[in-house]
Each structure stands twice: as C-alpha cells, then as structure tokens.
Amino acid sequence: MKSTMTMTDNTTGKSYEFEIKDATRGPSVVDISSFYAQTGMFTFDNGYTSTASCVSDITFIDGAKGELRYRGKPIEELAKNHTYLETCYLLLNSKLPNKEELNAFDLELRHRSFLHEGLKNLFLTFPSGGHPMAALSAATATLSTFFYSHLNINDENEYQEMARRIVAKMPTIAAFAYRHSIGASFIQPDITKSFTENFLYMLRAYPNGHMHIDPEGERVIKPIEVEALDTIFTLHADHEQNASTSIVRGVASTGAHPYVAISSGISALWGRAHGGANESVIKQLEMIGSVDRVDEFIARAKDPKDEFRLMGFGHRVYKNFDPRAKILKGLQDKLKDELNLDSNLMQIANKIEEIALSDEYFISRKLYPNIDFYSGVILTALQIPKTMFTPIFVIGRTVGWITQWIEFKKDKTTKIARPRQLYLGK
Ligand code: CMC
C-alpha cells in the first residue's frame, strides 16, 4: 500500500492526499507535484530548506550525523585510500576503477589536458589583475565553441567524452586564468605528471617551464603538497544539490550543454556564502590579524544588528561537524611541521574554533566549522595565492557538476526547472 500524507485547508475544510516516497537513506519526500493542480495554490519554500529538487543516487549527506558518501562510499575512506582521479572515476562510473581502468582514464585525461591555442586569445582579452574566477567561467563556456561539432547532447558517447574533456581541461584553464591575472606567460601541461602535480606545475613553473630550485637543491613540488591538494580535490568532488549544482541542473533542464551549465555553476560557486568562502576565510583571518582581537569579531558575528558573519562557519545541511572539515583539520595537523603553516593565521583560526565550539550562540544554532574554514590555511601553506582558492574548489567540483548533468540527462522524468512565486506587486 502506498504511504500518503493528508493536508487539510482550514479555510475550506477540503483535504488533499499526497504520496510519500521513501529514500534508501535519509528523509522520505512528500510528492507535491500535483499540489497546484489539486489545490490551486503553490507551495512556498524560500531558499529550498525543505525541498528535494530531484531523484539522485550520486551523493548522500546526513547533516545531523555529519556523514558524506559518494556512490555509497564514505568520504573518509576515499580521502584516506583513494586518489582524486579514482574518485572522479567512481562518480562518473558508479564504481572504483581497477588498475587497467584507472591507467586508461588517467592517460586519457593527461592527453586531454591541453587547450586549443585559440583559447589563449580569450584570456589575453582580460585585463591582468582581474579575478581568475571570471576568466574560468568565461573560458569554460567558450570551450564549447572549440568543440562545436561535438555538442550532441543526445548521444551518450559524446556527452561522456565531454565529461572527461571538461575534467581534464579545468586545471589548465584555472592555471591559465591565474597566470594571466599576474601577467605571466602560460605554461602548457606536462603529461608526464599526475593530474594534481601537473596543476601545481602549471601554476608555479617559470615561463621556460623550469621549476625553481630551493637553496637545499630540493624538488620544488613536494609529494606531500601533491597529496594534500589531491585530498582537497577529493573532498570537493561533489556535494549533492548545493547551490551551484542546482544551477547546473537548472541550466541542463533547458536543454543546454555541459559547458554552459558548468560555466553557470562556476559563477554560482563564486559567492562568499558558497565556494567563495574559502578566500573570504583567509581574508577575514588576516583582517582580524591577532589572537587578542578574536573576541571582538566573535561579538560582531553574534550581534543581530551587524552583518558580519564568521566565514567558514555554518552550513545549510550539516548541523554537526562537516566531515570534510574534520579530515582537513587532521591534514592541517599533519602538515604543520612539514610545511610552513602560517602559525599566526593558525593561532587565530584555532582560537575562533575554540570559542565558537563552546559559545551558546554557535551551539544553539549548530554552527560548526565547515570545509572552507580549514582549506584556506592549508592552501596558504601550499603557496596557493588567495585568488586561486575558489578556482581550486572549481577544479575539484567539476566532476560532481558533470556527473549531476549526466544524471539529469538520463532521467526521463525531468522537466524544465520553472518555479512560481508569491506575487505581492501591483
Ligand atoms: N556567523 C554568524 N552567524 C551565523 C553564521 C556565521 N557564519 N552562519 C549562520 N549564522 C546564524 C544566522 O545569523 C542565523 O541566526 P538567527 O537564527 O539568529 O537569525 C542562523 O545562524 C541560521 O543561519 P541561516 O543564514 O538561516 O542559515 P543558512 O542555512 O541559510 O546558511 C550558510 C548557511 C553557509 C550560507 C551560512 O551559515 C553562512 O553564511 N556561513 C558563512 C559562509 C560560509 O562559510 N559558507 C561556506 C559553506 S560550506 C562550503 C560550500 O558548500 O560552499
């Protein structure tokens, strides 16, 4: 027997019945798709706090427990035992790759990492000094013009190929955007390097492709840096129906191809309430400047008349420690001695965390540190410039966006995303 929910309109006394659909994990949903047809009214859910927008089997979050899984695999297991590329394969193919599958996937991505020479002209049109996120969004949409004859979104082989192409090229786009923003010449990918090492190489190399050698004659891209960044990419790979992913699905719902859908996702991610928070966290720590000023800013964060918010705190879904933040906190401790973690920033961050976790304001609102609170300090230690923090989020999240685009495409029940409104105008 179907489970249903009955709702009664107290103004008319009429009752309406809606089907309850159970999830394999997490909350069930009440199917209100016939609500308007039955009642003549819309439902209202500002910010979608109670709305499931789609059916999905990609990522699961239990916000109360602080649990995150990709394709059923706990994030802790993926971060500890698997690389970012394995995680990409898992998201795209619903299974972890065996050795041969991983080699083939890795090789294909290395070969697809180059950009058409013509795309350089796009970067050159931007004034240097601009934020790389703008160039990232524009270049991703523009990629479609270079693959104009391969834009058949009704051919699964073609859109699966688009997926691998976009994932492979995003680090190169991000590195080009950054290099142009500082007036440096572009560095081509080095296909002998892994996905993550290659990105660090494209950011750091001198114009002739040579790497800086430090006074001890050490290799300049340290394995621990690659490992840390790879973990950061894994932790960002997907996050269910967050703001940017919902935008990607919304654009997909109009029949648009992945390049523009992801370009829109990049724009949505840029805001400081979403992916832009990682850059804002470090700017905020720098603004606070010293441990003895933390109390002043905590007081501002708690003041309802002050718009100041503690960046890197709070989450719509997690009402417990963000599991990604827990992993990064562990990584931060591991890196403390090996890399030059900025001890002043870390001390300020630790003090904020300590106060916030014991303060009634934060406890009662279940405001815990999120992924962005820790990623900034780690990225600073990896010598990543602040303007590249959110582009790094983009690189990690691209596979999630395209996986969600594909799921949307394959779901034959989907419709154009077209909400209604409560009209209060003239
Ligand atoms: N500092 C101080 N107070 C906060 C904060 C914060 N960071 N976040 C939420 N609150 C308060 C808020 O003022 C409200 O208080 P009250 O009930 O008295 O009005 C209450 O907590 C609930 O906040 P909300 O804005 O209704 O919660 P939301 O679910 O709509 O917003 C959020 C979630 C992440 C946008 C918000 O917590 C925030 O702005 N955090 C700072 C930005 C940030 O770190 N964003 C990264 C999110 S994780 C990475 C990602 O997914 O992109």
Side-chain angles (χ1 to χ4, degrees):
M1 200 183 81
K2 276 185 185 169
S3 309
T4 58
M5 177 180 273
T6 306
M7 291 186 205
T8 305
D9 178 346
N10 286 339
T11 58
T12 60
K14 273 192 189 166
S15 288
Y16 306 95
E17 217 166 64
F18 301 97
E19 190 184 341
I20 295 177
K21 293 181 171 164
D22 287 331
T24 49
R25 285 176 198 259
S28 307
V29 302
V30 182
D31 184 345
I32 53 155
S33 48
S34 67
F35 195 90
Y36 176 59
Q38 285 199 57
T39 68
M41 287 184 277
F42 300 131
T43 59
F44 182 71
D45 182 15
N46 197 359
Y48 311 119
T49 55
S50 299
T51 296
S53 62
C54 62
V55 175
S56 182
D57 64 12
I58 302 171
T59 291
F60 173 75
I61 304 174
D62 184 328
K65 280 198 206 146
E67 183 184 330
L68 169 64
R69 291 167 186 265
Y70 301 157
R71 301 286 191 194
K73 303 246 177 263
I75 191 68
E76 294 77 9
E77 182 190 322
L78 292 167
K80 188 161 177 242
N81 302 327
H82 298 282
T83 62
Y84 174 66
L85 274 203
E86 288 176 281
T87 305
C88 288
Y89 190 97
L90 169 71
L91 283 166
L92 288 168
N93 300 284
S94 306
K95 72 183 249 314
L96 281 164
N98 62 31
K99 209 163 165 253
E100 290 74 41
E101 287 163 338
L102 181 62
N103 283 343
F105 184 62
D106 184 6
L107 202 61
E108 180 179 351
L109 261 56
R110 287 177 196 232
H111 287 138
R112 288 189 186 278
S113 62
F114 294 87
L115 301 183
H116 190 288
E117 282 294 296
L119 198 59
K120 280 186 187 168
N121 297 326
L122 176 81
F123 293 101
L124 294 174
T125 57
F126 299 122
S128 61
H131 200 289
M133 281 295 281
L136 212 56
S137 174
T140 305
T142 308
L143 262 188
S144 63
T145 65
F146 293 93
F147 294 95
Y148 193 63
S149 48
H150 297 282
L151 280 182
N152 185 357
I153 57 166
N154 295 318
D155 177 340
E156 178 165 0
N157 286 333
E158 211 151 291
Y159 63 68
Q160 294 284 2
E161 193 179 330
M162 284 183 220
R164 297 190 295 277
R165 179 180 297 130
I166 296 173
V167 172
K169 293 190 191 308
M170 198 55 86
T172 317
I173 293 177
F176 275 34
Y178 170 64
R179 293 188 75 95
H180 181 66
S181 76
I182 57 160
S185 57
F186 305 122
I187 291 289
Q188 294 298 335
D190 174 352
I191 55 168
T192 67
K193 293 182 167 45
S194 71
F195 182 92
T196 301
E197 184 180 359
N198 190 34
F199 173 64
L200 283 174
Y201 163 74
M202 290 188 287
L203 277 192
R204 291 184 187 172
Y206 282 105
N208 60 3
H210 289 170
M211 291 299 293
H212 172 74
I213 298 173
D214 72 12
E216 283 85 44
E218 263 190 60
R219 277 183 62 189
V220 169
I221 301 176
K222 298 182 183 140
I224 190 158
E225 295 181 298
V226 177
E227 202 186 304
L229 187 57
D230 204 73
T231 303
I232 288 181
F233 285 151
T234 299
L235 299 180
H236 287 92
D238 195 46
H239 212 230
E240 205 232 59
Q241 306 313 317
N242 58 84
S244 55
T245 300
S246 299
I247 296 297
V248 168
R249 280 187 178 256
V251 176
S253 82
T254 68
H257 55 68
Y259 300 101
V260 277
I262 291 176
S263 165
S264 310
I266 292 171
S267 303
L269 191 84
W270 196 357
R272 67 202 290 264
H274 195 8
N278 56 12
E279 186 179 338
S280 302
V281 167
I282 286 294
K283 284 187 179 160
Q284 197 168 82
L285 294 179
E286 287 171 351
M287 179 184 75
I288 296 172
S290 68
V291 173
D292 53 20
R293 295 189 66 206
V294 168
D295 286 328
E296 179 196 326
F297 285 93
I298 295 272
R300 285 191 60 189
K302 290 160 55 174
D303 180 354
K305 290 192 228 80
D306 192 331
E307 285 193 353
F308 178 85
R309 278 196 168 194
L310 220 46
M311 300 314 290
F313 270 79
H315 198 276
R316 169 61 64 76
V317 183
Y318 294 119
K319 300 302 168 197
N320 198 328
F321 231 98
D322 176 340
R324 304 165 301 172
K326 258 193 205 163
I327 296 169
L328 284 186
K329 191 170 158 55
L331 186 62
Q332 183 180 286
D333 292 340
K334 191 172 152 197
L335 294 177
K336 204 160 33 193
D337 303 325
E338 305 207 31
L339 298 176
N340 242 345
L341 285 195
D342 184 327
S343 59
N344 184 43
L345 287 190
M346 264 187 77
Q347 278 170 22
I348 301 170
N350 289 344
K351 179 83 178 166
I352 292 175
E353 184 193 326
E354 187 190 307
I355 299 180
L357 291 178
S358 58
D359 187 293
E360 178 50 27
Y361 175 92
F362 293 88
I363 295 171
S364 61
R365 289 168 180 76
K366 298 192 168 67
L367 300 171
Y368 289 83
N370 58 48
I371 185 168
D372 296 318
F373 188 68
Y374 299 103
S375 61
V377 176
I378 297 176
L379 292 173
T380 304
L382 301 183
Q383 298 168 45
I384 306 274
K386 280 194 284 287
T387 54
M388 287 305 285
F389 289 6
T390 313
I392 280 176
F393 196 149
V394 168
I395 296 173
R397 183 57 55 84
T398 296
V399 71
W401 286 328
I402 189 70
T403 305
Q404 300 268 354
W405 186 98
I406 291 171
E407 187 178 71
F408 182 91
K409 181 72 195 164
K410 286 186 168 176
D411 181 350
K412 296 298 166 225
T413 67
T414 53
K415 290 172 181 287
I416 188 167
R418 184 22 172 127
R420 300 300 299 272
Q421 62 183 7
L422 171 63
Y423 180 71
L424 294 178
K426 280 186 190 163

